[in-house]
Each structure stands twice: as C-alpha cells, then as structure tokens.
C-alpha cells in the first residue's frame, strides 16, 4: 500500500468511527509506530488534531482515534 493511500485510509476510518492505533495498525498491516508517524504528518498537514492518546479529525468531524498503547 502506498503512503498516501494508507494516510487516506486512516482519515476514512476516523470519519466513520473511532479506532485505536492498534486496530489501525492491524487493519492496514503496518506497525503502531508507523500509524503514529502518519498521525503526526496528518496533523502537520492540518487534517487532524493530535491529542493525548490519539487524534481527532479537523473540519467539524467528531470521530476519535485512541492510542491503546498509552
């Protein structure tokens, strides 16, 4: 899976419902560290806001992602 495709799938999952970093990593076949790096990139790009233990979409979406590792 390409990097941009994976990041879009993360955003799609956030738009549907909250998921843990662990769930995303299993669903996308990448490590939890990779998911966290993607979340950091997406935050710097203004597409989501990181919070302790996860992230939430910007632009009025309320779906949350939680980091079960913390």
């Amino acid at each position: 899976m390409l990097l941009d495709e994976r990041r879009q799938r993360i955003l799609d999952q956030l738009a549907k419902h909250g998921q843990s970093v662990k769930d995303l990593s299993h669903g996308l076949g990448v490590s939890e560290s990779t998911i966290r790096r993607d979340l950091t990139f997406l935050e710097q790009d203004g597409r989501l806001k990181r919070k302790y233990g996860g992230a939430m979409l910007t632009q009025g979406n309320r779906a949350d992602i939680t980091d079960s590792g913390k």
Side-chain angles (χ1 to χ4, degrees), residues 8 12 14 16 18 20 29-32 39 46 49 51-52 56 61 64-65 69:
Q8 184 58 53
D12 291 345
L14 285 173
K16 292 177 186 176
S20 69
V30 297
S31 71
E32 291 180 29
L39 292 174
K49 177 70 176 158
K51 62 180 185 176
Y52 182 79
M56 53 193 290
N61 293 309
D64 288 344
I65 180 171

Side-chain angles (χ1 to χ4, degrees), residues 13-40:
Q13 291 300 315
L14 285 173
K16 292 177 186 176
H17 49 79
Q19 286 195 344
S20 69
V21 169
K22 183 176 182 178
D23 290 340
L24 281 171
S25 73
H26 286 287
L28 297 175
V30 297
S31 71
E32 291 180 29
S33 296
T34 297
I35 296 296
R36 289 186 192 99
R37 282 191 300 273
D38 286 343
L39 292 174
T40 297

